[in-house]
Amino acid sequence: EAKAAGKGRHEIFAGPMDEVVARRRTIEKDLREAINTGTGLALAYQPIFSSDTNTMVGIEALARWNHPVHGALSPEFFITLAEERGLIERFGNWALREAATFAVKNDIPWVAVNVSPVQFRDRHLAQKISAILSDMGLEPNRLQIEVTEGVLLQDSPVVRETIKSLRALGIAVALDDFGTGYSSISYLRSYGVDKLKIDRSFVSKLGIDLEVNSIVQAIIDLARAMKMTVTAEGVETQEQRRILMDMGCAELQGYLLSKPISDQQLAAAYGRRLMASPSAPVRIG
Ligand code: C2E
Ligand code: MG
Ligand code: MG
Ligand code: MG
Protein backbone atom coordinates (compact mmCIF):
# COMPACT_ATOMS: atom_id res chain seq x y z
CA GLU A 1 0.00 0.00 0.00
CA ALA A 2 1.00 3.63 -0.35
CA LYS A 3 2.39 3.84 3.19
CA ALA A 4 5.05 1.24 2.34
CA ALA A 5 6.22 3.38 -0.56
CA GLY A 6 9.58 4.98 -0.45
CA LYS A 7 12.97 5.02 -1.98
CA GLY A 8 13.68 1.71 -3.60
CA ARG A 9 10.10 0.75 -4.01
CA HIS A 10 9.98 1.39 -7.76
CA GLU A 11 12.98 -0.73 -8.41
CA ILE A 12 11.98 -3.45 -5.99
CA PHE A 13 8.36 -3.73 -7.08
CA ALA A 14 8.89 -3.35 -10.84
CA GLY A 15 8.79 -6.16 -13.39
CA PRO A 16 6.97 -9.48 -13.72
CA MET A 17 5.22 -10.74 -10.59
CA ASP A 18 7.42 -13.79 -10.07
CA GLU A 19 10.51 -11.57 -10.15
CA VAL A 20 8.98 -9.13 -7.68
CA VAL A 21 8.18 -11.97 -5.30
CA ALA A 22 11.67 -13.42 -5.62
CA ARG A 23 13.30 -10.04 -5.08
CA ARG A 24 11.19 -9.42 -2.01
CA ARG A 25 12.22 -12.81 -0.57
CA THR A 26 15.84 -11.94 -1.11
CA ILE A 27 15.38 -8.60 0.62
CA GLU A 28 13.68 -10.33 3.54
CA LYS A 29 16.62 -12.67 3.85
CA ASP A 30 19.01 -9.70 3.63
CA LEU A 31 17.09 -7.87 6.36
CA ARG A 32 17.22 -10.91 8.62
CA GLU A 33 20.95 -11.07 8.10
CA ALA A 34 21.42 -7.34 8.62
CA ILE A 35 19.53 -7.57 11.92
CA ASN A 36 21.51 -10.62 13.04
CA THR A 37 24.87 -9.09 12.24
CA GLY A 38 24.12 -5.36 12.51
CA THR A 39 25.74 -4.86 9.10
CA GLY A 40 24.30 -2.07 6.97
CA LEU A 41 21.99 -0.88 9.72
CA ALA A 42 22.46 2.46 11.42
CA LEU A 43 20.57 5.04 13.40
CA ALA A 44 20.40 8.65 12.29
CA TYR A 45 19.65 11.21 14.97
CA GLN A 46 17.50 14.30 14.61
CA PRO A 47 17.86 17.01 17.27
CA ILE A 48 14.74 18.36 18.95
CA PHE A 49 14.88 21.98 20.15
CA SER A 50 13.23 23.91 22.94
CA SER A 51 11.36 26.79 21.35
CA ASP A 52 12.04 28.95 24.43
CA THR A 53 15.78 28.59 24.64
CA ASN A 54 16.63 27.40 21.12
CA THR A 55 18.80 24.70 22.61
CA MET A 56 18.75 21.06 21.71
CA VAL A 57 16.78 19.27 24.43
CA GLY A 58 16.90 15.76 23.05
CA ILE A 59 17.14 13.65 19.91
CA GLU A 60 15.05 11.16 17.95
CA ALA A 61 16.68 7.98 16.68
CA LEU A 62 15.65 7.08 13.11
CA ALA A 63 16.58 3.76 11.55
CA ARG A 64 18.56 3.55 8.33
CA TRP A 65 19.31 0.50 6.19
CA ASN A 66 21.80 0.62 3.40
CA HIS A 67 21.03 -2.43 1.27
CA PRO A 68 24.05 -3.92 -0.51
CA VAL A 69 22.29 -3.86 -3.92
CA HIS A 70 19.36 -1.47 -3.65
CA GLY A 71 21.08 1.20 -1.54
CA ALA A 72 19.28 3.22 1.14
CA LEU A 73 15.76 1.87 1.67
CA SER A 74 13.12 3.91 3.45
CA PRO A 75 12.35 2.95 7.05
CA GLU A 76 8.67 2.84 6.19
CA PHE A 77 9.48 0.02 3.78
CA PHE A 78 11.88 -2.07 5.86
CA ILE A 79 10.15 -1.55 9.21
CA THR A 80 6.92 -2.84 7.64
CA LEU A 81 8.85 -5.78 6.24
CA ALA A 82 10.36 -6.51 9.65
CA GLU A 83 6.88 -6.36 11.22
CA GLU A 84 5.46 -8.74 8.64
CA ARG A 85 8.34 -11.20 8.84
CA GLY A 86 8.56 -11.46 12.62
CA LEU A 87 11.82 -9.53 12.80
CA ILE A 88 10.62 -6.38 14.51
CA GLU A 89 11.39 -7.42 18.06
CA ARG A 90 15.02 -8.15 17.27
CA PHE A 91 15.21 -4.97 15.26
CA GLY A 92 13.64 -2.93 18.05
CA ASN A 93 16.07 -4.35 20.60
CA TRP A 94 18.99 -3.52 18.37
CA ALA A 95 17.76 0.06 17.87
CA LEU A 96 17.20 0.60 21.59
CA ARG A 97 20.64 -0.76 22.55
CA GLU A 98 22.27 1.40 19.89
CA ALA A 99 20.40 4.59 20.84
CA ALA A 100 20.95 4.08 24.57
CA THR A 101 24.66 3.51 24.08
CA PHE A 102 24.93 6.64 21.98
CA ALA A 103 23.06 8.79 24.51
CA VAL A 104 25.22 7.57 27.40
CA LYS A 105 28.48 8.03 25.51
CA ASN A 106 27.66 11.55 24.33
CA ASP A 107 25.84 12.80 27.40
CA ILE A 108 22.65 13.47 25.43
CA PRO A 109 19.79 14.68 27.71
CA TRP A 110 17.31 12.18 26.29
CA VAL A 111 16.74 10.04 23.25
CA ALA A 112 13.41 9.14 21.65
CA VAL A 113 13.07 5.69 20.10
CA ASN A 114 10.20 4.62 17.84
CA VAL A 115 8.50 1.40 18.89
CA SER A 116 6.27 -0.55 16.52
CA PRO A 117 2.65 -1.30 17.47
CA VAL A 118 3.58 -4.94 16.82
CA GLN A 119 6.11 -4.81 19.68
CA PHE A 120 3.32 -3.58 21.94
CA ARG A 121 1.62 -6.97 21.66
CA ASP A 122 4.39 -8.39 23.85
CA ARG A 123 3.26 -8.31 27.47
CA HIS A 124 6.89 -8.25 28.61
CA LEU A 125 7.86 -5.22 26.50
CA ALA A 126 8.30 -2.79 29.40
CA GLN A 127 10.40 -5.31 31.31
CA LYS A 128 12.59 -5.97 28.26
CA ILE A 129 13.11 -2.26 27.62
CA SER A 130 14.01 -1.75 31.25
CA ALA A 131 16.56 -4.58 31.10
CA ILE A 132 18.22 -3.07 28.02
CA LEU A 133 18.47 0.32 29.74
CA SER A 134 20.15 -1.28 32.75
CA ASP A 135 22.59 -3.13 30.50
CA MET A 136 23.49 0.05 28.63
CA GLY A 137 23.51 2.28 31.71
CA LEU A 138 20.87 4.76 30.54
CA GLU A 139 18.56 6.20 33.19
CA PRO A 140 14.89 5.53 32.33
CA ASN A 141 14.06 9.26 32.46
CA ARG A 142 16.44 9.74 29.55
CA LEU A 143 14.37 7.53 27.24
CA GLN A 144 11.20 8.45 25.39
CA ILE A 145 9.16 5.84 23.56
CA GLU A 146 7.31 7.05 20.47
CA VAL A 147 4.20 5.16 19.41
CA THR A 148 1.57 6.06 16.87
CA GLU A 149 -1.98 6.68 17.98
CA GLY A 150 -3.02 3.40 16.39
CA VAL A 151 -1.56 1.52 19.30
CA LEU A 152 -4.16 3.02 21.65
CA LEU A 153 -6.94 1.90 19.36
CA GLN A 154 -6.00 -1.72 19.88
CA ASP A 155 -7.46 -0.88 23.31
CA SER A 156 -5.96 -4.00 24.77
CA PRO A 157 -5.14 -4.59 28.44
CA VAL A 158 -1.59 -5.48 27.37
CA VAL A 159 -1.03 -2.07 25.74
CA ARG A 160 -2.56 -0.33 28.73
CA GLU A 161 -0.35 -2.21 31.19
CA THR A 162 2.76 -1.65 29.09
CA ILE A 163 2.26 2.10 28.87
CA LYS A 164 1.58 2.20 32.60
CA SER A 165 4.69 0.19 33.41
CA LEU A 166 6.90 2.26 31.13
CA ARG A 167 5.74 5.46 32.78
CA ALA A 168 6.07 3.97 36.25
CA LEU A 169 9.70 3.23 35.39
CA GLY A 170 10.16 6.89 34.47
CA ILE A 171 10.20 6.35 30.70
CA ALA A 172 8.22 9.02 28.84
CA VAL A 173 5.64 7.94 26.26
CA ALA A 174 4.96 10.15 23.23
CA LEU A 175 2.17 9.85 20.69
CA ASP A 176 3.77 10.16 17.26
CA ASP A 177 2.11 11.58 14.12
CA PHE A 178 -0.59 13.00 16.38
CA GLY A 179 -3.76 14.09 14.60
CA THR A 180 -3.58 11.52 11.81
CA GLY A 181 -5.15 8.68 13.80
CA TYR A 182 -8.32 8.46 15.73
CA SER A 183 -7.45 9.22 19.34
CA SER A 184 -10.32 10.60 21.26
CA ILE A 185 -9.89 12.79 24.28
CA SER A 186 -11.21 10.00 26.45
CA TYR A 187 -8.55 7.60 25.13
CA LEU A 188 -5.85 10.15 25.82
CA ARG A 189 -7.11 10.67 29.32
CA SER A 190 -7.51 7.04 30.20
CA TYR A 191 -4.12 5.96 28.84
CA GLY A 192 -2.10 8.89 30.02
CA VAL A 193 0.86 9.83 27.85
CA ASP A 194 3.57 12.41 28.36
CA LYS A 195 3.87 14.01 24.97
CA LEU A 196 2.06 14.69 21.70
CA LYS A 197 4.01 15.02 18.48
CA ILE A 198 1.97 17.06 16.00
CA ASP A 199 2.13 15.40 12.61
CA ARG A 200 4.05 17.04 9.80
CA SER A 201 0.94 17.17 7.60
CA PHE A 202 -0.50 19.86 9.93
CA VAL A 203 2.74 21.76 10.37
CA SER A 204 3.24 22.02 6.61
CA LYS A 205 -0.10 23.85 6.22
CA LEU A 206 0.44 26.41 8.98
CA GLY A 207 0.00 29.92 7.66
CA ILE A 208 -1.55 28.56 4.47
CA ASP A 209 -4.73 26.94 5.72
CA LEU A 210 -6.14 28.96 8.61
CA GLU A 211 -8.31 26.06 9.71
CA VAL A 212 -5.10 24.13 10.32
CA ASN A 213 -3.79 27.01 12.44
CA SER A 214 -6.84 26.65 14.67
CA ILE A 215 -6.49 22.87 14.88
CA VAL A 216 -2.83 23.10 15.87
CA GLN A 217 -3.63 25.74 18.48
CA ALA A 218 -6.35 23.44 19.82
CA ILE A 219 -3.89 20.52 20.07
CA ILE A 220 -1.40 22.70 21.93
CA ASP A 221 -4.10 23.90 24.33
CA LEU A 222 -5.37 20.37 24.84
CA ALA A 223 -1.87 19.19 25.67
CA ARG A 224 -1.42 21.97 28.18
CA ALA A 225 -4.76 21.18 29.83
CA MET A 226 -3.69 17.55 30.16
CA LYS A 227 -0.14 18.41 31.30
CA MET A 228 1.52 16.92 28.24
CA THR A 229 4.45 18.35 26.31
CA VAL A 230 3.99 19.17 22.61
CA THR A 231 6.52 18.76 19.82
CA ALA A 232 5.91 19.96 16.27
CA GLU A 233 7.33 17.61 13.64
CA GLY A 234 8.51 18.61 10.18
CA VAL A 235 9.18 22.31 10.81
CA GLU A 236 10.63 23.47 7.50
CA THR A 237 10.14 27.25 7.36
CA GLN A 238 10.73 30.27 9.56
CA GLU A 239 7.06 31.13 9.27
CA GLN A 240 5.97 27.76 10.61
CA ARG A 241 8.46 28.14 13.43
CA ARG A 242 7.23 31.61 14.34
CA ILE A 243 3.58 30.52 14.32
CA LEU A 244 4.34 27.50 16.50
CA MET A 245 6.30 29.63 18.97
CA ASP A 246 3.45 32.16 19.14
CA MET A 247 1.04 29.31 19.79
CA GLY A 248 3.12 28.10 22.72
CA CYS A 249 4.49 24.91 21.19
CA ALA A 250 7.28 23.79 23.53
CA GLU A 251 9.48 21.75 21.19
CA LEU A 252 10.38 21.98 17.51
CA GLN A 253 11.81 19.33 15.19
CA GLY A 254 12.35 19.61 11.46
CA TYR A 255 14.65 20.27 8.54
CA LEU A 256 14.73 24.01 9.31
CA LEU A 257 16.55 23.30 12.55
CA SER A 258 18.37 20.13 11.57
CA LYS A 259 17.88 17.10 9.36
CA PRO A 260 18.51 13.66 10.82
CA ILE A 261 22.30 13.31 10.88
CA SER A 262 24.79 10.56 11.55
CA ASP A 263 25.93 9.67 15.06
CA GLN A 264 29.34 11.19 14.38
CA GLN A 265 27.90 14.46 13.04
CA LEU A 266 25.55 14.75 15.98
CA ALA A 267 28.24 13.98 18.53
CA ALA A 268 30.51 16.63 17.00
CA ALA A 269 27.79 19.28 16.76
CA TYR A 270 26.48 18.65 20.25
CA GLY A 271 29.99 18.61 21.64
CA ARG A 272 30.33 22.17 20.36
CA ARG A 273 26.96 23.02 22.00
CA LEU A 274 25.58 24.53 18.83
CA MET A 275 22.39 26.47 19.31
CA ALA A 276 19.75 27.51 16.86
CA SER A 277 19.57 31.30 16.90
CA PRO A 278 16.07 32.81 16.83
CA SER A 279 16.63 34.60 13.53
CA ALA A 280 18.66 32.10 11.56
CA PRO A 281 18.85 28.65 13.09
CA VAL A 282 22.13 26.86 12.79
CA ARG A 283 21.77 23.67 10.81
CA ILE A 284 23.59 21.11 12.85
CA GLY A 285 25.56 18.80 10.58
P1 C2E B 1 8.50 9.41 12.53
O1 C2E B 1 8.83 8.71 13.79
O2 C2E B 1 7.29 10.25 12.51
O3 C2E B 1 9.81 10.24 12.17
C1 C2E B 1 9.80 11.50 11.55
C2 C2E B 1 10.07 11.37 10.08
O4 C2E B 1 9.99 12.67 9.48
C3 C2E B 1 11.48 10.87 9.75
O5 C2E B 1 11.39 10.13 8.52
C4 C2E B 1 12.25 12.17 9.54
O6 C2E B 1 13.40 12.01 8.74
C5 C2E B 1 11.21 13.00 8.84
N1 C2E B 1 11.41 14.44 9.01
C6 C2E B 1 11.92 15.11 10.05
N2 C2E B 1 11.89 16.45 9.86
C7 C2E B 1 11.34 16.64 8.64
C8 C2E B 1 11.03 17.82 7.86
O7 C2E B 1 11.26 18.97 8.26
N3 C2E B 1 10.45 17.61 6.65
C9 C2E B 1 10.18 16.36 6.17
N4 C2E B 1 9.62 16.27 4.96
N5 C2E B 1 10.46 15.24 6.88
C10 C2E B 1 11.02 15.38 8.11
P2 C2E B 1 12.14 8.75 8.34
O8 C2E B 1 13.48 8.80 8.99
O9 C2E B 1 12.05 8.39 6.89
O10 C2E B 1 11.25 7.74 9.18
C11 C2E B 1 9.95 7.45 8.79
C12 C2E B 1 9.20 6.67 9.83
O11 C2E B 1 9.75 5.36 9.98
C13 C2E B 1 9.27 7.28 11.23
O12 C2E B 1 8.34 8.35 11.33
C14 C2E B 1 8.89 6.09 12.07
O13 C2E B 1 7.49 5.91 12.08
C15 C2E B 1 9.51 4.93 11.30
N6 C2E B 1 10.79 4.57 11.94
C16 C2E B 1 12.03 5.11 11.78
N7 C2E B 1 12.94 4.49 12.57
C17 C2E B 1 12.26 3.54 13.27
C18 C2E B 1 12.65 2.56 14.26
O14 C2E B 1 13.80 2.46 14.71
N8 C2E B 1 11.65 1.74 14.72
C19 C2E B 1 10.36 1.85 14.29
N9 C2E B 1 9.44 0.99 14.77
N10 C2E B 1 9.96 2.75 13.37
C20 C2E B 1 10.91 3.60 12.87
MG1 MG C 1 8.90 9.25 15.69
MG1 MG D 1 6.08 11.39 13.33
MG1 MG E 1 5.64 8.21 11.25
Side-chain angles (χ1 to χ4, degrees):
E1 95 243 49
K3 196 74 212 226
K7 220 156 138 200
R9 186 186 160 95
H10 293 303
E11 189 187 341
I12 292 162
F13 295 93
M17 205 51 205
D18 53 342
E19 280 178 29
V20 171
V21 170
R23 208 175 294 133
R24 200 183 151 92
R25 281 231 184 82
T26 309
I27 293 174
E28 276 167 29
K29 186 177 66 56
D30 297 339
L31 181 60
R32 193 176 297 273
E33 195 180 306
I35 293 168
N36 285 336
T37 63
T39 330
L41 291 178
L43 293 181
Y45 296 103
Q46 187 174 32
I48 299 172
F49 292 86
S50 153
S51 63
D52 283 342
T53 61
N54 287 307
T55 52
M56 186 189 99
V57 286
I59 59 178
E60 178 174 1
L62 294 160
R64 298 291 178 255
W65 183 28
N66 193 19
H67 186 275
V69 175
H70 302 286
L73 298 178
S74 85
E76 261 144 14
F77 169 69
F78 67 79
I79 295 288
T80 306
L81 191 61
E83 288 170 345
E84 288 169 1
R85 305 309 304 153
L87 300 169
I88 194 66
E89 184 185 348
R90 293 188 64 113
F91 181 86
N93 291 344
W94 170 83
L96 181 59
R97 279 198 305 271
E98 192 82 3
T101 306
F102 179 78
V104 168
K105 191 170 153 209
N106 296 285
D107 221 10
I108 304 293
W110 50 259
V111 61
V113 175
N114 293 282
V115 173
S116 157
V118 174
Q119 291 176 268
F120 267 82
R121 290 184 203 149
D122 176 1
R123 62 174 62 256
H124 302 297
L125 180 66
Q127 206 177 300
K128 288 175 183 171
I129 289 175
S130 170
I132 291 176
L133 293 186
S134 305
D135 283 354
M136 302 298 139
L138 187 73
E139 298 85 345
N141 62 7
R142 290 172 64 198
L143 178 69
Q144 297 189 5
I145 294 296
E146 295 194 4
V147 279
T148 48
E149 288 169 274
V151 93
L152 303 194
L153 284 175
Q154 298 177 10
D155 194 24
S156 82
V158 175
V159 171
R160 217 169 261 279
E161 274 311 306
T162 299
I163 291 179
K164 239 169 95 181
S165 310
L166 288 171
R167 298 184 74 218
L169 288 163
I171 297 168
V173 176
L175 281 192
D176 207 349
D177 305 343
F178 186 76
T180 59
Y182 305 89
S183 323
S184 65
I185 292 175
S186 64
Y187 266 127
L188 279 183
R189 270 173 65 79
S190 75
Y191 275 95
V193 295
D194 302 280
K195 179 182 272 195
L196 300 182
K197 298 193 73 176
I198 304 174
D199 191 65
R200 189 169 80 218
S201 59
F202 294 99
V203 174
S204 66
K205 295 194 193 82
L206 285 172
I208 298 165
D209 182 340
L210 292 183
E211 200 169 288
V212 169
N213 280 39
S214 305
I215 293 167
V216 170
Q217 182 70 72
I219 295 174
I220 293 168
D221 294 343
L222 175 72
R224 177 169 300 125
M226 293 172 64
K227 300 185 172 57
M228 297 181 284
T229 311
V230 196
T231 308
E233 299 190 277
V235 182
E236 293 184 350
T237 69
Q238 280 294 0
E239 195 196 359
Q240 291 163 1
R241 183 190 197 202
R242 186 189 50 75
I243 294 171
L244 288 160
M245 286 173 73
D246 288 348
M247 288 179 170
C249 183
E251 294 176 358
L252 307 175
Q253 175 180 9
Y255 292 173
L256 176 72
L257 298 130
S258 171
K259 289 197 166 178
I261 53 183
S262 74
D263 50 356
Q264 287 170 2
Q265 286 173 307
L266 188 97
Y270 187 61
R272 284 183 272 119
R273 290 292 186 276
L274 281 189
M275 287 170 64
S277 88
S279 50
V282 172
R283 284 158 208 271
I284 296 188

